[in-house]
Structures are given as structure tokens and as C-alpha cells.
Amino acid sequence: MVTLTRCRVGGADGKLTGEDPEPEFSEWLLSQGIKSEQDGVIRKGEYTCEALYWAFGVLLSRLITLPGKSGEQALVPFADFLNHEAAVSTHLDWDASLGAVVIELDRPYNTGEQIYVSYGPKSSGELLLSYGFCPAPEGNQHEELVAYMAFAAAQPKEQEEVGELCTFIFEQGIIPVLDDTDLELVALRELAAECTRYPTSMEQDRAQASGANTPDGTAAKPLSLNKQKEVLAVQCASIRLRERQILQRCSFFASSRIKELSRNK
């Protein structure tokens, strides 16, 4: 057996960093493409919708936070090859003494065995939205949304009651019936309702996402700022549609559990 204690992943010269954009994000983003072309940073015509989709996909699925470097965010070459495991506490961080991003392992590994890291204490929904996968239902101990919603539904008023509920719900994994109120049932109903609460209808998002009158980003000359805002609006509608599809499945499972609990009453 080979026991690993530390593994070098990337150095200071091999990472890309970035700061948070201005609060007016959409205007900031749209202006960057025009400015970058004018400054000669990118070739004319390369700032397209397709390029934006690719760039955001890279950032949202591969950007990591480095606590040892004051929470700086970075793209670290090869770090995205590491897969997530909910049960491990290993994570990537900056080691100032080595001038590199490192992994400090929480267990011994055999030669050739896959090393896992934690992407953070995320629910399966967060993992699916951010990284495109979710663990097996029984393999993620961070599935606490229904538990938190049940705790909120209980509305404990006394400190002693708060402690008892926390012990039941978060330590023992039991959602109790309180004063003839099934807290799990209340939480699931609220969850199912929240999955459908959007400022726009599905039909409106479909119509906007179709982008019938929106340029595809391949025009020879840069688009006006207003036209590029329209392009972003189409992209946002497309994202909402995909999110709705995920939440529809979540709502289905919540509704199925509601029926099961109702039958057992």
C-alpha cells in the first residue's frame, strides 16, 4: 500500500484568476467583448454567443475557491479531473510554502486508486445544476433541504424546543409529528409549490428562448449594446427552461412522497 499525504496539482504560473464583475453584470459583460476587440485582446468576430456559452460553462463547472489565498477563485489546470465524493473532507487549497495548489488527503489510498475531493457540502440539486451530475440518493448526507423546511415549519419558540427539534431532525434524521402536524408533509408540500414559483410562465420562457429575432453572434460587425442585452435575455430564458426541467423532477418526487405519507396516515 502506498500512503499519500500531499499531492501537488498546479503552480502559481499555471492558474487563471479573476475578480467579481461590476454589479451591473450584464452591461459589464457585454461591454467587455466590444472593448476587448477594440483593444486587440481578441480577434474581431470571436466574441460570440457560442464562445460565451463555452466560457461560462468552464467557469461554473471548474472554478475553485482557495481558502488559503483569502478565498481567491482560480482555474487550476487538471484540477477538474478530480471527482466529487460526499463522504470525503479533502479539498484543494493554496500552499504558500510550496507556491502551489495542493490536496491534503484525509485517508490512505492504494496505488492506482482514484482520489476523490469534496466540491463542498452541496445538495444533489446544487451538484446537478452546477456540475451536471448528482450522487445516488443514499450517497449524499447533505440532502437537508426538506429537513430545514420541516424545522422552519415547526416554528419553535422556546430554546428547549429548538434543541429537541435539532436533535430529532438533524442528528437522528427523524422528522417528527408535532401537535398533530406532520412536519415532513408540510415541508414537502411547500417544496413542491416552490418548484413552480417563477416570475415568468413556461410558455413565456419558451417563446423568449426560441430567440427568433435574436442574432446568433456570427455577424461581421459587433452588435449594439441593446441587441447584446437581448441575446443575454434569450440565454437566461434557456437556462430557466433547463432549471424548470430539473425542478419538475424534484416536484414529482416530492408529490410522490406526499401521496405515500398521506396513504400511511
Side-chain angles (χ1 to χ4, degrees):
M1 174 182 287
V2 176
T3 300
L4 303 177
T5 56
R6 179 164 285 186
C7 176
R8 186 182 177 109
V9 175
D13 294 333
K15 69 180 182 61
L16 300 174
T17 61
E19 299 178 354
D20 289 334
E22 298 294 331
E24 301 82 4
F25 178 65
S26 59
E27 292 188 10
W28 173 87
L29 175 64
L30 295 170
S31 66
Q32 296 310 296
I34 298 172
K35 185 176 184 302
S36 296
E37 287 186 350
Q38 292 172 344
D39 293 346
V41 176
I42 59 175
R43 290 193 294 270
K44 195 168 184 178
E46 288 189 351
Y47 191 74
T48 65
C49 292
E50 290 77 10
L52 278 176
Y53 274 127
W54 174 83
F56 270 106
V58 169
L59 286 174
L60 294 176
S61 62
R62 291 169 173 77
L63 197 65
I64 63 172
T65 300
L66 304 173
K69 205 169 175 61
S70 302
E72 183 175 320
Q73 293 181 310
L75 289 173
V76 181
F78 305 112
D80 56 304
F81 288 176
L82 293 162
N83 286 321
H84 169 79
E85 171 57 56
V88 307
S89 58
T90 301
H91 63 277
L92 294 160
D93 202 358
W94 176 258
D95 187 314
S97 64
L98 294 175
V101 174
V102 301
I103 311 171
E104 292 191 4
L105 303 178
D106 63 349
R107 68 188 68 180
Y109 283 86
N110 293 320
T111 301
E113 185 179 356
Q114 180 175 181
I115 294 174
Y116 289 96
V117 296
S118 171
Y119 293 180
K122 300 181 184 297
S123 68
S124 295
E126 290 178 289
L127 291 170
L128 184 59
L129 285 171
S130 298
Y131 305 106
F133 74 92
C134 59
E138 69 282 0
N140 189 0
Q141 69 269 38
H142 304 299
E143 292 290 15
E144 296 184 334
L145 178 58
V146 172
Y148 278 111
M149 294 180 77
F151 180 80
Q155 298 181 340
K157 297 178 177 61
E158 302 295 333
Q159 188 62 38
E160 183 178 351
E161 187 181 0
V162 171
E164 289 178 355
L165 279 171
C166 285
T167 299
F168 271 112
I169 296 175
F170 301 113
E171 294 183 15
Q172 299 179 13
I174 300 171
I175 301 179
V177 175
L178 185 65
D179 297 331
D180 296 325
T181 300
D182 189 327
L183 297 180
E184 183 179 3
L185 198 57
V186 173
L188 287 167
R189 284 171 176 161
E190 180 64 19
L191 176 60
E194 286 292 338
C195 288
T196 62
R197 287 176 186 163
Y198 277 86
T200 54
S201 67
M202 180 76 84
E203 291 71 23
Q204 288 173 319
D205 281 343
R206 282 201 184 101
Q208 190 168 33
S210 65
N213 298 316
T214 304
D216 62 4
T218 58
K221 60 181 182 179
L223 302 175
S224 68
L225 190 59
N226 285 338
K227 189 58 68 175
Q228 292 193 50
K229 285 183 179 180
E230 292 179 17
V231 173
L232 272 185
V234 169
Q235 294 171 351
C236 288
S238 299
I239 292 171
R240 281 198 301 274
L241 282 176
R242 290 193 289 271
E243 184 182 78
R244 284 177 188 268
Q245 292 172 345
I246 294 170
L247 292 181
Q248 279 179 340
R249 189 157 184 80
C250 178
S251 179
F252 170 78
F253 283 115
S255 299
S256 299
R257 178 62 176 161
I258 289 170
K259 290 178 182 178
E260 181 184 344
L261 290 173
S262 299
R263 283 196 302 268
N264 294 335
K265 274 193 168 185

